[in-house]
Every structure is written in C-alpha cells, then in structure tokens.
C-alpha cells in the first residue's frame, strides 16, 4: 500500500473511531442452552457473509436442527452493521449473538470454544457454506468417536461445487503464509474414509470442546494460527483428520475490499509467538518474509518490530488490562502514551472501570472482580491489571525481564509490580534477586493475578448487592483484602524488587517510592 493510501486509511480510521465512540453496542442475546454441536463464527463487519452462513445452516440442514446451536461473536460491535447482525441472530431460535470488544484478531475465535455450551464446537469463517449433509457427517463422526482428541476438518470445494480445492495444507511457505493448498488422492476414492493430514486452512475446524488447546492469547491482528494449532493438537497426542464428507465452500473474493487492514508485522509477530510456544525454528519465518518481500523496503523494520513486541517481558502475562473510567479520557490518553513507551500498547485492553463516586473503593473492587471473571472465562493462566495512573521505572523492561526469568517454576497467586509494603514479607529465598515474598501490601496499580486464585477470589468477593456492601464494609478495599490474604498465607504473594510501578503520589512518600521517585519517568 502506498504512503498516500496509508495516510487516507489512517484518517478514515480516526473518523470511524470518533463515530464509533458514540454508537451504542448491541446487547448479547439470551443463551440457547446445551446442544451436541455449536457452530460458531467470529464476525468483523461482515453482515452479508454471516447472515447467509447462518441462514444456510438453518435452511439446508434441517436434519440436524435439534442438535445444533449457532454462536455469532461480533468482533466489531461498534460498527455500522452490528445492530442488523444482532437482529438477524435474534430471529433465529437456536442462535446467540455476543459482542466482543476486548481485542481485534482472528484469534478471537478462541472465545467461541470458551463460550459455547456444547460437547463439540465447529468454528467457521463468517462467509462459509456447508455442503449438503456435511454437518450431519460431522455429528456422526463425533458420535462414532466420543473420546476423540483430534482436530477435524474437511475438504474445501471450488465455486463449481464439484472440484476439491484442497484436502489439506502442505507445511510450506508462500506469499507470507505458512501452509499451501494440497490435495490428497484418497479423497477421490469411491467411499473415502477419514484420513490424517498435516494441517488445513482454518475456514472450518472442529473438535470436542474439552480438548481445545487454545490459541495463544497474545495473538493480535490477522493470521499466524495455521500450522501452529495443528501442532498443538499433535503435541497433546491428537491428529488433524480430514473428514471427506465434511465439505465446505468459502467466499474469497471481496469486490468492495475487506473491512480491516491486515498488517504484516502483526502476522510476523503472531508467527514468532506461536512458533516459539510449540518449539519451532523462528528463523524460517524471517527468512521467508525477507525472501518473499525483498523489494519492500520496510520488511526488516516489520520483522524487527514484530520480534521486539513478541519478546517483550510483559508478554509473560496472558492479558494486560487497563482500568479506566469512561469519563476520564485524559488519564486514558496519558496511560496509553506510557504503554507505547513500554512497547505494550498493542496488547493492553482498556477495561471500563465501575464508577462509584461516593466510595471509589467500591467501584475499584468490583472492577477487579470483573477482570478476574473475564480472565477465568477466557481460560487465562494469569493477567496483569494496570490502573490508569500507574507510572513506571526507567529500567522497567530490564528489571521485568530478570524477574520473569526468576519466576520460572515459582508458584504464586498475586504478583505485585508495585505497591506499598505496609508489613514486609519474609526475606527472599536463595536465588531471588528481583522478586521476594510479599507481606501486607497495599495499592493495586500494577498487580497480576494467577488462575490458581481465580475461583477463590470470585467466591469470596460478591458480585454486587447487599452481600458486596457487607464485604466492602469488612475489607474496606480490594488492595487491603489481597494484602491481608497474602500476609496470612491464604494467598501466595510475590513482589518485585525494585518495584517497577508506582503512582505519582507514592513517589513523594518515604514509605512509598520516594527513594526511586525521580526514576519513575515512564
């Protein structure tokens, strides 16, 4: 894309963003209830595609209607098409609409497996049509293999509805993508049986919900999942299976253009993150992009940016949430500038803080409870919560890098990147230089919570109402509650040393961060 077109796209994006800020997000529709199979799709401004995919399922596969549900995850619910999409879903008796604003990515499809209420989940692109009998064939397969640990996919049909475009992807590179279409001759047998394949495009893929291994939560933007997710199934003891009777048709052409702008550095970064996770050689990624796009002057910069982001120590956390009141745009903007300095702006999700003017501790506790609930629902191992006034030490990246290495193999429930040590914990153990056990710590401006504590905390912190009022009267604030739990040993707390995060007020007090006050410059 030329510089002029890039500038135009940026300007139009800002105009759209301004309009979206005032556009209401449609509410989720009611859950459908448990079904044997849930067919889910993540949609980004593709009303036409999603509409015809959903209606074709209903119209052309009536034999499975009582065994399936449809889940539509709207990954751009601020968009102009979202209300129409919700209305269409609401008119289907076995379908549910869920808006998702957390982040934009093809990896948002992971949430379909988390949210589906079904034994088997089939994820489809929002512009896919199933061949007659394909959904019934998928149900039959899983009925015959109730304990399957495999990923099941099917052959892609050409627009003539007869030719098989590909039964699988060959694990080779081409045009910035790992995986190129291939056709296994077994598909042409008179009555082909399911057969193992190396990988396949992810227009359609299905597995038992209980064995879904998950996309890496650090993926953002478009691409990088093919090959990676197939390897995760293999490493878990499963296979990728081509089910010949599970045929599907995919709309590739977009005469009016696609509604989003894929970025090469997003894809390169996703490949680096995913391949590192499964233990593949990342040098092959960079080699391909340098060879394929040797005439593009920005390829080295894109690779460099992608690698720097992929290896940022904040990437240790499955999610980074930033608490910010809707009414406080100045603090949001200032926080975003700090996140950019730290190289994590692409990963941070803004979380709308609960506003309780009469007692801000009330809203803060409810906001933290919400973040814990979201993290549990998404299957995260841990998340880092940042309050929007958190400031950071000048060598934050260096210290956090060393602290993350030190945490390898250490069990923790609460990890403080900053805070006030009202009562110090026991001294550091052998080998601890950058972390130490936490005692009674107050302030939660930069605090990580581990999944080990999710269930306990959600059980102990009421969701609202009179119960929550009693809870806040007892514990006063979320930071005091967590601090007391860590001090008593009910939770295992760790705090960084030095504390890499502070708040402006804390840098002025000796029992806070005055000693390093002039170094909290980020």
């Amino acid at each position: 894309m030329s510089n002029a077109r890039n500038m135009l796209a940026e300007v139009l994006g800002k105009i759209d963003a301004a309009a979206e800020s005032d556009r209401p997000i449609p509410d989720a529709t009611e859950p459908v209830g448990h079904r044997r199979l849930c067919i889910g799709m993540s949609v980004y401004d593709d009303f036409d595609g999603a509409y015809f995919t959903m209606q074709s399922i209903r119209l052309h596969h009536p034999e499975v209607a009582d065994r399936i549900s449809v889940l539509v995850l709207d990954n751009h619910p601020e968009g102009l098409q979202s209300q129409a999409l919700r209305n269409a879903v609401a008119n289907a008796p076995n379908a549910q609409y869920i808006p998702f604003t957390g982040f934009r990515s093809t990896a948002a499809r992971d949430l379909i497996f988390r949210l589906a209420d079904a034994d088997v989940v089939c994820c489809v692109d929002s512009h896919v049509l199933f061949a007659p009998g394909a959904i019934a064939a998928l149900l039959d397969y899983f009925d015959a293999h109730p304990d399957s640990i495999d990923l099941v996919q099917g052959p892609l049909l050409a627009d003539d509805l007869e030719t098989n475009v590909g039964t699988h992807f060959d694990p080779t590179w081409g045009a910035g993508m790992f995986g190129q279409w291939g056709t296994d001759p077994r598909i042409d047998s008179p009555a082909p049986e399911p057969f193992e394949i190396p990988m396949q495009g992810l227009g359609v893929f299905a597995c038992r919900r209980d064995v879904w291994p998950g996309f890496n939560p650090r993926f953002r933007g478009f691409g990088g999942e093919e090959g990676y997710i197939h390897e995760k199934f293999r490493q878990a003891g499963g296979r990728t299976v081509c089910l010949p009777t599970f045929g599907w048709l995919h709309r590739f052409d977009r005469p009016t253009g696609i509604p989003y702008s894929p970025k090469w550095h997003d894809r390169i970064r996703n490949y680096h993150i995913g391949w590192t996770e499964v233990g593949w050689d990342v040098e092959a990624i960079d080699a391909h992009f340098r060879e394929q796009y040797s005439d593009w002057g920005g390829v080295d910069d894109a690779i460099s940016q992608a690698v720097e982001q992929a290896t940022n120590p904040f990437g240790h956390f499955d999610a980074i949430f930033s608490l910010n009141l809707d009414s406080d745009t100045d603090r949001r903007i200032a926080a975003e500038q700090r996140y950019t300095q730290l190289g994590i702006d692409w990963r941070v999700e803004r979380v709308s803080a609960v506003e309780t003017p009469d007692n801000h501790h009330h809203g803060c506790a409810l906001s933290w409870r919400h973040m814990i609930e979201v993290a549990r629902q998404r299957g995260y191992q841990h998340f880092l919560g940042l309050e929007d006034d958190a400031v950071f030490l000048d060598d934050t990246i260096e210290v956090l890098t060393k602290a993350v290495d030190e945490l390898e193999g250490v069990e923790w429930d609460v990890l403080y990147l900053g805070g006030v040590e009202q009562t110090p914990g026991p001294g550091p153990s052998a080998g601890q230089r950058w972390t130490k056990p936490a005692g009674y710590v107050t302030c939660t401006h930069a605090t990580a919570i581990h999944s080990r504590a999710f269930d306990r905390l959600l059980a102990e912190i009421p969701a609202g109402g009179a119960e929550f009022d009693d809870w806040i009267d007892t514990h006063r604030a979320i930071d005091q509650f967590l601090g007391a739990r860590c001090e008593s040993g009910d939770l295992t707390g760790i705090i960084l040393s030095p504390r890499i995060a502070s708040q402006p007020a804390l840098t002025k007090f000796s029992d806070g961060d005055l000693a390093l006050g002039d170094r909290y410059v980020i």
Side-chain angles (χ1 to χ4, degrees):
M1 183 180 286
S2 67
N3 289 335
R5 291 181 65 189
N6 274 325
M7 292 175 62
L8 178 61
E10 185 177 348
V11 170
L12 292 175
K14 290 179 179 178
I15 294 173
D16 288 344
E20 288 172 3
S21 64
D22 297 323
R23 189 177 298 132
I25 293 174
D27 294 330
T29 59
E30 291 298 315
V32 174
H34 187 77
R35 295 290 191 277
R36 175 62 171 153
L37 170 67
C38 174
I39 301 174
M41 65 191 84
S42 179
V43 183
Y44 188 103
D45 289 354
D46 187 17
F47 170 78
D48 291 346
Y51 177 87
F52 286 113
T53 293
M54 181 178 69
Q55 299 294 43
S56 176
I57 291 170
R58 299 177 63 212
L59 188 64
H60 301 128
H61 303 269
E63 69 278 9
V64 299
D66 61 342
R67 302 188 69 194
I68 71 168
S69 61
V70 174
L71 176 61
V72 176
L73 186 77
D74 190 349
N75 199 201
H76 189 209
E78 307 92 337
L80 284 170
Q81 302 183 21
S82 292
Q83 189 60 53
L85 180 62
R86 184 198 184 275
N87 294 343
V89 175
N91 287 327
N94 65 337
Q96 183 184 12
Y97 170 91
I98 298 178
F100 177 63
T101 60
F103 56 86
R104 315 286 192 218
S105 177
T106 48
R109 293 176 289 183
D110 181 82
L111 290 170
I112 292 168
F113 292 84
R114 313 289 180 185
L115 299 172
D117 185 4
D119 305 315
V120 179
V121 179
C122 175
C123 187
V124 304
D125 283 354
S126 59
H127 32 262
V128 159
L129 303 178
F130 288 104
I135 301 175
L138 182 67
L139 283 163
D140 289 345
Y141 180 87
F142 281 104
D143 287 345
H145 303 83
D147 299 319
S148 171
I149 59 173
D150 298 331
L151 183 67
V152 178
Q153 300 191 255
L156 172 66
L157 303 176
D159 287 346
D160 64 10
L161 306 183
E162 295 180 359
T163 307
N164 282 307
V165 173
T167 56
H168 64 279
F169 269 4
D170 289 318
T172 56
W173 285 96
M177 183 170 181
F178 184 67
Q180 301 296 296
W181 293 109
T183 301
D184 192 300
R186 286 174 286 185
I187 195 70
D188 296 323
S189 303
E193 294 292 322
F195 53 89
E196 185 174 358
I197 54 177
M199 56 187 288
Q200 171 66 307
L202 293 178
V204 175
F205 55 105
C207 69
R208 287 176 46 236
R209 183 178 182 272
D210 288 346
V211 302
W212 171 245
F215 289 132
N216 192 299
R218 296 152 191 80
F219 287 168
R220 292 293 185 273
F222 183 90
E225 301 97 339
E226 289 85 359
Y228 153 84
I229 194 64
H230 302 89
E231 178 63 15
K232 289 190 74 169
F233 271 91
R234 276 190 293 273
Q235 292 184 2
R239 307 170 300 162
T240 300
V241 173
C242 176
L243 180 60
T245 49
F246 187 42
W248 51 287
L249 183 71
H250 186 283
R251 180 205 67 193
F252 286 102
D253 290 338
R254 296 282 191 103
T256 59
I258 56 177
Y260 52 87
S261 300
K263 297 178 175 63
W264 281 122
H265 78 265
D266 282 344
R267 186 178 298 192
I268 298 169
R269 183 187 61 237
N270 288 349
Y271 277 127
H272 269 266
I273 291 170
W275 284 35
T276 298
E277 179 191 345
V278 299
W280 286 359
D281 180 11
V282 297
E283 290 185 6
I285 302 167
D286 301 345
H288 168 72
F289 279 91
R290 286 195 173 98
E291 178 181 358
Q292 183 74 32
Y293 302 102
S294 57
D295 57 345
W296 172 37
V299 64
D300 287 329
D301 288 341
I303 292 173
S304 177
Q305 180 184 13
V307 172
E308 183 176 349
Q309 291 177 342
T311 56
N312 187 300
F314 279 94
H316 174 76
F317 304 103
D318 280 357
I320 306 173
F321 296 140
S322 177
L323 270 182
N324 168 253
L325 292 169
D326 291 343
S327 58
D328 209 334
T329 55
D330 289 343
R331 280 174 59 147
R332 174 182 60 79
I333 293 170
E336 289 173 350
Q337 290 172 346
R338 292 192 290 272
Y339 302 150
T340 298
Q341 285 183 268
L342 292 170
I344 60 174
D345 52 305
W346 62 279
R347 278 212 62 208
V348 175
E349 289 183 49
R350 179 187 173 273
V351 174
S352 183
V354 177
E355 189 162 8
T356 51
D358 293 337
N359 182 350
H360 73 276
H361 293 304
H362 189 134
C364 186
L366 288 175
S367 299
W368 273 92
R369 189 189 192 282
H370 170 69
M371 290 191 292
I372 295 168
E373 191 169 32
V374 167
R376 182 178 70 169
Q377 182 186 63
R378 296 187 192 173
Y380 291 160
Q381 186 178 12
H382 34 51
F383 74 90
L384 172 63
L386 299 175
E387 295 173 2
D388 62 7
D389 60 344
V391 293
F392 299 89
L393 211 57
D394 50 13
D395 60 350
T396 286
I397 297 300
E398 292 80 1
V399 173
L400 185 58
T401 298
K402 294 170 182 174
V404 165
D405 289 342
E406 202 167 276
L407 287 170
E408 185 70 29
V410 175
E411 290 189 348
W412 57 271
D413 298 309
V414 182
L415 176 66
Y416 295 98
L417 275 61
V420 177
E421 295 182 84
Q422 304 286 356
T423 304
S429 304
Q432 284 189 305
R433 164 62 182 86
W434 305 96
T435 62
K436 62 181 181 179
Y440 183 69
V441 178
T442 56
C443 298
T444 52
H445 49 274
T447 305
I449 307 292
H450 198 284
S451 60
R452 287 166 22 113
F454 289 172
D455 288 343
R456 281 179 287 165
L457 292 175
L458 291 173
E460 291 186 47
I461 306 171
E467 269 191 287
F468 180 82
D469 292 338
D470 292 340
W471 182 90
I472 202 75
D473 286 342
T474 300
H475 300 285
R476 296 188 293 278
I478 185 67
D479 65 330
Q480 296 186 44
F481 169 74
L482 292 174
R485 286 292 185 272
C486 290
E487 183 181 36
S488 68
D490 292 336
L491 294 174
T492 300
I494 300 287
I495 188 167
L496 266 59
S497 178
R499 299 184 292 270
I500 60 174
S502 186
Q503 292 171 299
L506 294 181
T507 63
K508 297 175 173 61
F509 294 98
S510 58
D511 60 348
D513 294 311
L514 178 62
L516 298 175
D518 60 351
R519 291 183 52 198
Y520 289 97
V521 294
I522 298 178

